[in-house]
Amino acid sequence: MHTPEAPHRVRHFGQILLWPLRLMPVRGGEGRHAKPWEILSAMGDASPWREVVDEYTGDACNFHERHYNEFVTFLPYVQRFLYGEGHAKGGGQVHGSPMRVFRRHDVSAVRVVLRPGAEPITLSVVHVDLYFFLDLDLVLLNVEVAGDNLPLTHAQELLYRFGRGYPSGWDTQGQAQHCLHQAEWLGAQGQVLAQSDAGQPDLFMSHVARHRAPRIAAHWDWLLQPLVSDHSDQVGPLRYRQIEYYRMPLLGYLAVDDPQTLSRSDFVRLGLVTGAGSADGEAALPFANDHLQDFEERYCYDRFWTAGGAAPYTRYLCTGHSLVVVGDAKSQFFSCRDRGVLAQFRHQHFLLFLIAHFQKAALLMFSDRLAETLRNLNISDPGSVRTFKRSIRSTFASFLRFTHRYWFHEISEQAQTRALFAKCAQHLGLDPLYAEVKERIADMNNYLEADSLRRQANTVVRLTVVTILGLIGTITTGFLGMNLLAEADAPVSRKVLVFAIVFVVTIALTVYTMAKSKRLSDFLDVLSEERVGPWTKLKAFAAIWSRDRDRD
């Protein structure tokens, strides 16, 4: 067991944040939904984001073995989702991936202060990306940071505190809880580009009071620009809303001197991302022992927790919200960025984590859209009803495209990738969530179909009533070809006048019959009922003109 005098050191630390956000639709100039990546590209120098030309579509000189290993890890239909399709035989068009990536290059580092009075820690920013997806109003913010030679407690606190969209509250001294005391994005020359404002509770509380929505912390708000919060007063071409918890899903990589010497408490705190705990009780479990009895079984993937292999004593900790890998810093394979565990962490593990959280975010987005559609429905307003129907049908079509393009249960046949993805999906509850959203959308669509059939049936009934009543007049006036009025030899002007009078009277009778068609239909139903007496039939006839009769 380690002691405060000789704390564990993390020789290399990596953390990847992945924050799903919902994009609010933006209308294009031609009345269609504008694609967000087109809007960013059209902004030019007004936006810091530039589309990434990845190793699969760019210069082949930038394609390395780690990219090849990443590609062959996934099944073909997942490859088409992640990388698109290449040239067909004989030379064909390249089909791009449904996923578009934009990156900003102006942020080089982040300087953080974990707690009040603590020394600042500077981490290098590996990259900052935005992931967009075809046909879905989603964006995933991806931030990767790295550092070397950190105390284990600092690494635990970074995992716990860094990825917070805003503070959860403040203590009695006004210090923000559960998040970084301070965070600053730094440029290439070390200049401060933006800093957090978690220590100003009035800003966050007044925002919630006004907008009924949380306020995004200043450093995250700056990082996302020109994307702006939909609940803020800022003006921006793209607006987003929070779709998941304010704690960003994360991946963690820790290369330590001897993983075997880490206590169970260390692994629990890393796996469940609970922070380092108090200085005088680092070895204590963060929760009750009974609650953690099945921790190893539920959250640990220990296939490589052995003295043998290329990277001995490597442990994966997966809770759905987080995926953390811990291994031996002295193992060359564990620290190799081209072929080893570090390469897998930054490529295969990141992508399987991205797929799982993208699927969850998409399902939550569909659920949000259904709730908003129902909230905006006013059944007394025909325009609102038409908008409701169009929105439900559009959501149903989008969900079908999502199912056939993005929904997979298996992404790889490689045992490690397959097992980690299964753990992510299980802890995130993807299958039950998919079934629930699918049922809700199907219920909405079935309602529209039933309502359409009901309206068609009502139309048929009304037309039948009009036809029956019109048949009486047709037979009466046309019996044996006789004319009621002999106007064949009358002047043309008289014929036109008679025609106009008959035309207007016929239209009036038809319109009146249509207006009373529901009641006439009810009367015909009573009239055709043999068990009903003449008096009841007479009352049904009189009810056609009753004012207090309930109407459909």
Side-chain angles (χ1 to χ4, degrees):
M1 182 181 300
H2 63 279
T3 64
E5 291 75 24
H8 279 289
R9 306 292 295 186
V10 178
R11 298 306 174 187
H12 183 68
F13 171 78
Q15 182 173 356
I16 301 176
L17 301 176
L18 197 66
W19 198 18
L21 298 167
R22 179 186 172 188
L23 286 173
M24 305 311 294
V26 177
R27 301 301 296 180
E30 300 177 356
R32 61 182 178 85
H33 286 302
K35 296 180 175 60
W37 53 87
E38 294 175 345
I39 295 176
L40 282 184
S41 298
M43 293 183 66
D45 293 339
S47 168
W49 302 97
R50 297 291 179 268
E51 187 164 8
V52 175
V53 180
D54 60 25
E55 299 80 8
Y56 301 89
T57 56
D59 189 353
C61 296
N62 295 325
F63 191 86
H64 302 290
E65 187 174 344
R66 62 179 180 273
H67 303 126
Y68 177 83
N69 293 335
E70 170 195 310
F71 180 85
V72 299
T73 296
F74 300 100
L75 292 170
Y77 49 84
V78 184
Q79 293 172 353
R80 289 190 288 272
F81 160 55
L82 295 174
Y83 314 107
E85 298 185 39
H87 292 280
K89 183 178 180 180
Q93 185 177 4
V94 177
H95 299 281
S97 166
M99 183 172 65
R100 307 292 285 268
V101 185
F102 279 70
R103 177 171 296 173
R104 61 185 303 165
H105 301 275
D106 54 336
V107 183
S108 298
V110 57
R111 183 165 57 220
V112 302
V113 178
L114 297 175
R115 298 176 184 272
E119 292 293 324
I121 301 172
T122 301
L123 303 172
S124 62
V125 173
V126 182
H127 53 70
V128 181
D129 295 335
L130 291 176
Y131 284 79
F132 298 97
F133 303 89
L134 186 65
D135 285 336
L136 291 174
D137 294 326
L138 283 177
V139 60
L140 272 66
L141 172 67
N142 167 227
V143 179
E144 181 178 352
V145 298
D148 294 320
N149 201 27
L150 298 174
L152 177 62
T153 54
H154 287 182
Q156 291 171 328
E157 287 291 287
L158 284 168
L159 292 173
Y160 178 68
R161 295 177 178 274
F162 183 35
R164 308 257 181 173
Y166 45 84
S168 61
W170 296 265
D171 59 21
T172 55
Q173 285 76 40
Q175 302 294 338
Q177 294 180 319
H178 310 303
C179 64
L180 296 171
H181 177 64
Q182 182 151 8
E184 297 173 328
W185 299 117
L186 305 179
Q189 283 73 42
Q191 73 275 23
V192 176
L193 303 175
Q195 61 183 2
S196 62
D197 57 355
Q200 303 180 50
D202 291 343
L203 295 178
F204 294 89
M205 290 190 291
S206 62
H207 188 279
V208 171
R210 288 180 56 200
H211 300 282
R212 299 297 187 267
R215 177 183 183 274
I216 306 301
H219 62 301
W220 293 116
D221 178 77
W222 176 87
L223 193 67
L224 285 164
Q225 289 179 0
L227 282 72
V228 299
S229 173
D230 193 45
H231 295 103
S232 72
D233 298 327
Q234 300 179 73
V235 177
L238 292 170
R239 308 188 73 85
Y240 63 85
R241 287 186 180 181
Q242 184 180 340
I243 197 171
E244 287 197 56
Y245 196 42
Y246 81 111
R247 290 188 67 181
M248 305 176 192
L250 63 92
L251 297 96
Y253 173 92
L254 291 88
V256 300
D257 288 331
D258 188 356
Q260 293 185 84
T261 61
L262 267 64
S263 67
R264 186 170 187 259
S265 173
D266 291 328
F267 281 114
V268 170
R269 293 182 182 278
L270 288 172
L272 300 183
V273 195
T274 64
S278 60
D280 57 351
E282 293 179 0
L285 292 172
F287 306 116
N289 190 56
D290 291 344
H291 179 73
L292 299 171
Q293 280 185 348
D294 60 348
F295 171 80
E296 285 77 11
E297 178 183 353
R298 291 184 63 192
Y299 303 117
C300 297
Y301 180 69
D302 284 340
R303 182 180 183 185
F304 305 106
W305 188 251
T306 176
Y313 294 107
T314 297
R315 167 172 276 186
Y316 295 87
L317 307 157
C318 179
T319 65
H321 170 78
S322 63
L323 175 59
V324 179
V325 56
V326 182
D328 195 338
K330 297 186 294 295
S331 167
Q332 183 178 0
F333 184 78
F334 184 80
S335 303
C336 179
R337 64 184 300 269
D338 292 315
R339 301 178 183 85
V341 176
L342 179 57
Q344 295 170 4
F345 167 79
R346 300 186 64 240
H347 293 269
Q348 291 95 310
H349 299 161
F350 165 72
L351 288 176
L352 74 87
F353 197 72
L354 179 143
I355 291 172
H357 281 273
F358 158 71
Q359 290 180 342
K360 180 181 179 182
L363 293 172
L364 292 176
M365 182 205 67
F366 284 122
S367 181
D368 277 359
R369 285 174 59 178
L370 289 177
E372 289 176 359
T373 301
L374 281 173
R375 186 176 65 248
N376 295 330
L377 173 63
N378 181 4
I379 59 176
S380 62
D381 181 6
S384 176
V385 173
R386 287 193 295 270
T387 302
F388 170 77
K389 291 181 177 181
R390 286 196 296 266
S391 179
I392 293 299
R393 292 192 176 101
S394 174
T395 301
F396 183 73
S398 296
F399 186 77
L400 286 179
R401 290 193 294 269
F402 165 78
T403 297
H404 293 285
R405 178 178 288 161
Y406 300 122
W407 180 251
F408 354 91
H409 286 89
E410 300 292 342
I411 65 170
S412 175
E413 285 300 324
Q414 293 186 9
Q416 178 190 12
T417 304
R418 184 175 183 174
L420 290 175
F421 182 76
K423 275 189 174 293
C424 278
Q426 177 186 0
H427 290 306
L428 292 175
L430 293 185
D431 285 338
L433 181 59
Y434 176 85
E436 179 183 352
V437 173
K438 181 180 180 181
E439 183 179 1
R440 290 183 180 182
I441 293 178
D443 286 344
M444 289 287 191
N445 192 63
N446 291 338
Y447 163 75
L448 292 183
E449 292 181 354
D451 183 69
S452 178
L453 291 175
R454 181 185 65 83
R455 291 176 177 274
Q456 292 177 17
N458 287 339
T459 301
V460 171
V461 168
R462 285 166 169 76
L463 291 176
T464 302
V465 170
V466 173
T467 303
I468 292 174
L469 296 181
L471 184 63
I472 297 173
T474 301
I475 295 176
T476 301
T477 58
F479 182 67
L480 296 179
M482 294 186 299
N483 293 320
L484 187 61
L485 301 174
E487 300 289 341
D489 298 327
V492 175
S493 59
R494 182 178 177 84
K495 289 181 181 181
V496 172
L497 178 61
V498 172
F499 174 80
I501 293 173
V502 174
F503 182 74
V504 170
V505 171
T506 303
I507 289 179
L509 288 174
T510 302
V511 171
Y512 183 76
T513 304
M514 287 293 294
K516 296 292 184 180
S517 59
K518 183 63 176 69
R519 297 187 180 190
L520 287 168
S521 174
D522 295 340
F523 167 67
L524 293 177
D525 287 340
V526 175
L527 189 64
S528 64
E529 181 59 57
E530 296 180 354
R531 293 173 296 180
V532 175
W535 178 247
T536 303
K537 294 180 181 179
L538 184 61
K539 288 194 297 182
F541 179 73
I544 296 174
W545 295 275
S546 176
R547 293 181 178 273
D548 57 350
R549 187 174 181 272
D550 292 336
R551 299 188 181 187
D552 185 16

